[in-house]
Amino acid sequence: RSEVWMLGLRMTAGIDLADFELRFGKSFEEFYPEKISAWVRNGLARCADAVTLTPSGMLLLDSLVAELI
């Protein structure tokens, strides 16, 4: 999972949440409660059908990925 996030968040398309759930059998929120909402609240990510990082989030990419490992 961490490799999917590490590589996916580096891409402008981000991580498709439905794909993630199909691939791993649980939603991102089930694996990492509150992470996406905290990132969105702090202006680091956007979330609709996919999680994408804002320019500020991209600057902190390594720290955000470390939170998921």
Side-chain angles (χ1 to χ4, degrees):
R1 287 185 321 255
S2 59
E3 284 186 31
V4 167
W5 278 96
M6 180 180 61
L7 297 174
L9 288 175
R10 292 180 190 282
M11 298 171 28
T12 56
I15 300 296
D16 183 286
L17 294 173
D19 258 3
F20 183 88
E21 190 167 349
L22 282 173
R23 189 172 195 178
F24 298 108
K26 291 185 187 179
S27 71
F28 178 80
E29 283 294 325
E30 289 177 277
F31 280 109
Y32 311 103
E34 303 293 320
K35 289 294 180 193
I36 293 175
S37 55
W39 293 354
V40 170
R41 225 179 9 258
N42 291 317
L44 302 174
R46 293 181 197 90
C47 181
D49 294 330
V51 176
T52 58
L53 295 181
T54 63
S56 297
M58 283 295 215
L59 292 174
L60 299 172
L61 176 65
D62 291 337
S63 297
L64 296 176
V65 169
E67 291 179 16
L68 305 177
I69 297 174

